[in-house]
C-alpha cells in the first residue's frame, strides 16, 4: 500500500510581490513551496487557460464573420487594424482562414504578418491563443513562421489588440494563392501544395446584401450558411414561426434544413438546388431577413404547430464548437 504524503502545517513561502512566474510543469514552483509547479500554482494557471470561452469573438467587429471564417469558409483574408497602429517594420497584418503547413502565423520577407484562424488552439479561449500568436508574429524575424504554444493565462485577448472601430471586410478567395506574393513564379513544391489545397476547397461566396451569409457549392446541392447574432432561443422561436407557415425557405426548391451552433452563435443552413447561385439567392435572403426581423419581434407564445416546427429544427442542430 502506498504511503501517504507527509502533511505539514508550515506556512508556505511566498514571493514578496505576489507574482508567480510560469515555469516548466515539473520544475520547482517559484513560490518556494518545494512542490512541482504543476501541483502548486500551475494548477490555477492550467485551469485558467483550459476553461472554455463560449463566445471567444464577442466584442470584436463583425463577430458573425469571425465565426464563419473560423468554421465555414475555406479560403478568405481580412486586413486587421491594430490598436495604436502597426509597429515599425510591419506594413500590414492579415487574418487568413488557413496558412501553409497549418502554421499559426507567418512573418513574410517584407515584414507583413499573416495570422491563421483555423488552427487547433491549446486552450479554451481562441481569442487569447490568437492574440498570443499575433504578438509573437509581430516580433518574429521576417521570413519565418510562428509555432503554436499555450498562451499565458494572463495574456491579452484579440479584443485588446485589435481596434474596435476598425473595419472587418472579409475577402473570399477561390483558392490559396494569397499564401505567396507571386503564385505564378512559385517553386514546384509550393505550386504542388497550392494545387492540392485548391482542389480540396469548396467554392464559397459571401453575400453582399445581408451580413455573414455564405453560399457554397457541393457536388450534390448548394447551401447557404448564415451566421446570426441573435440569442439562440429567440432565434429558434422566430425560425419556427416562419417554418410553421411555410415562409422559412429562400425560394422554390430551397429548404431550411437545420442549424449549426458555433462559438456561441447559431448558423441556420438552407439546402439549395445545384443551379441556384450566390447571385440568385441575394434577393430572397434580403426578403427573408425582413420576415425574420418581424418574427423576432413577436412576443406571442408558440402555437402547437410552431412548437413542432421548433422541435424539428432543434433535433437537426449540430454543435461545431
Amino acid at each position: 500500500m502506498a504511503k501517504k504524503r507527509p502533511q505539514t502545517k508550515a506556512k508556505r513561502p511566498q514571493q514578496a510581490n505576489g507574482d508567480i512566474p510560469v515555469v516548466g510543469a515539473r520544475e520547482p514552483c517559484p513560490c518556494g513551496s518545494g512542490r512541482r509547479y504543476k501541483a502548486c500554482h500551475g494548477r490555477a494557471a492550467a485551469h485558467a487557460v483550459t476553461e472554455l470561452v463560449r463566445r471567444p469573438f464577442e466584442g470584436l467587429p463583425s463577430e458573425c464573420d469571425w465565426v464563419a471564417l473560423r468554421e465555414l469558409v475555406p479560403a478568405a483574408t481580412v486586413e486587421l487594424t491594430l490598436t495604436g497602429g502597426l509597429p515599425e517594420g510591419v506594413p500590414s497584418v492579415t487574418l487568413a482562414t488557413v496558412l501553409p503547413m497549418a502554421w499559426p502565423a507567418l512573418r513574410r520577407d517584407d515584414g507583413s504578418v499573416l495570422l491563421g484562424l483555423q488552427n487547433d488552439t491549446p486552450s479554451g479561449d481562441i481569442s487569447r491563443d490568437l492574440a498570443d500568436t499575433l504578438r509573437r508574429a509581430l516580433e518574429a524575424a521576417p521570413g519565418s513562421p510562428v509555432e503554436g504554444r499555450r498562451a499565458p493565462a494572463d495574456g491579452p485577448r484579440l479584443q485588446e489588440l485589435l481596434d474596435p472601430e476598425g473595419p472587418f471586410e472579409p475577402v473570399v478567395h477561390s483558392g490559396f494563392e494569397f499564401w505567396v506574393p507571386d503564385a505564378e513564379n512559385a517553386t514546384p513544391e509550393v505550386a504542388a501544395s497550392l494545387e492540392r489545397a485548391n482542389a480540396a476547397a469548396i467554392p464559397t461566396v459571401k453575400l453582399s446584401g445581408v451580413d455573414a451569409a455564405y453560399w457554397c457549392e457541393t457536388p450534390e446541392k448548394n447551401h447557404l450558411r448564415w451566421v446570426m447574432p441573435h440569442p439562440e432561443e429567440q432565434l429558434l422561436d422566430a425560425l419556427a414561426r416562419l417554418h410553421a407557415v411555410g415562409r422559412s425557405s429562400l425560394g422554390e426548391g430551397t429548404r431550411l434544413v437545420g442549424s449549426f451552433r458555433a462559438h456561441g452563435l447559431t448558423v441556420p443552413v438552407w439546402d439549395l438546388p445545384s443551379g441556384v447561385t450566390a447571385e440568385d439567392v441575394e434577393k430572397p435572403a434580403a426578403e427573408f431577413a425582413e420576415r425574420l426581423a418581424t418574427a423576432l419581434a413577436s412576443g406571442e407564445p408558440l402555437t402547437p404547430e410552431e412548437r413542432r416546427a421548433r422541435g424539428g429544427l432543434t433535433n437537426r442542430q449540430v454543435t461545431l464548437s
Side-chain angles (χ1 to χ4, degrees):
M1 184 174 179
K3 293 182 180 180
K4 293 183 178 179
R5 181 190 297 271
Q7 301 295 316
T8 176
K9 295 183 179 180
K11 184 177 180 181
R12 177 179 292 177
Q14 298 289 336
Q15 288 193 339
N17 62 4
D19 294 330
I20 308 298
V22 177
V23 298
R26 295 181 178 276
E27 296 179 32
C29 186
C31 77
S33 66
R35 303 173 69 188
R36 290 179 178 178
Y37 178 70
K38 70 176 184 178
C40 193
H41 282 85
R43 288 187 176 185
H47 177 74
V49 296
T50 56
E51 186 175 0
L52 179 64
V53 175
R54 183 170 176 267
R55 288 179 62 179
F57 306 117
E58 185 176 16
L60 290 172
S62 303
E63 178 189 6
C64 294
D65 282 311
W66 278 92
V67 172
L69 298 188
R70 167 77 182 185
E71 298 294 340
L72 306 175
V73 181
T77 56
V78 187
E79 295 298 314
L80 298 180
T81 304
L82 304 187
T83 300
L86 295 168
E88 184 178 357
V90 180
S92 64
V93 175
T94 303
L95 181 72
T97 47
V98 67
L99 295 177
M101 309 297 292
W103 286 325
L106 173 66
R107 183 88 184 270
R108 281 179 163 163
D109 291 336
D110 65 355
S112 60
V113 168
L114 290 175
L115 176 66
L117 181 58
Q118 293 182 6
N119 297 297
D120 292 335
T121 51
S123 84
D125 188 353
I126 298 171
S127 176
R128 195 180 307 280
D129 288 331
L130 289 172
D132 177 67
T133 300
L134 175 56
R135 290 181 72 186
R136 291 186 291 124
L138 293 171
E139 299 171 355
S144 60
V146 176
E147 301 293 336
R149 74 169 189 182
R150 182 183 290 273
D154 59 351
R157 307 180 74 238
L158 285 175
Q159 287 81 347
E160 300 167 59
L161 300 185
L162 302 183
D163 185 351
E165 303 299 326
F168 192 87
E169 301 173 353
V171 177
V172 178
H173 303 277
S174 59
F176 295 90
E177 282 73 18
F178 63 84
W179 282 355
V180 291
D182 186 5
E184 292 184 357
N185 296 316
T187 64
E189 293 80 6
V190 171
S193 179
L194 279 173
E195 185 177 356
R196 289 192 299 270
N198 289 344
I202 296 174
T204 301
V205 177
K206 185 180 189 298
L207 298 195
S208 60
V210 294
D211 293 333
Y214 291 80
W215 170 95
C216 68
E217 181 182 26
T218 62
E220 296 183 358
K221 63 185 69 175
N222 298 342
H223 305 279
L224 184 73
R225 301 180 290 191
W226 192 342
V227 187
M228 296 187 173
H230 317 292
E232 180 178 334
E233 297 302 314
Q234 182 185 5
L235 176 57
L236 290 175
D237 281 353
L239 292 173
R241 295 181 195 279
L242 296 176
H243 202 61
V245 294
R247 304 194 69 199
S248 63
S249 75
L250 299 175
E252 184 178 356
T254 71
R255 185 166 68 98
L256 174 64
V257 293
S259 63
F260 298 121
R261 182 189 292 114
H263 306 294
L265 298 182
T266 303
V267 189
V269 178
W270 285 262
D271 279 353
L272 313 172
S274 58
V276 174
T277 67
E279 185 177 357
D280 294 333
V281 83
E282 286 277 8
K283 183 178 178 181
E287 293 171 346
F288 177 84
E290 295 179 359
R291 298 197 299 272
L292 180 64
T294 300
L296 286 166
S298 175
E300 295 297 319
L302 295 181
T303 66
E305 293 78 9
E306 290 168 347
R307 288 197 298 271
R308 282 194 292 272
R310 193 187 195 283
L313 292 172
T314 302
N315 290 338
R316 297 192 297 272
Q317 191 173 47
V318 177
T319 300
L320 297 182
S321 57

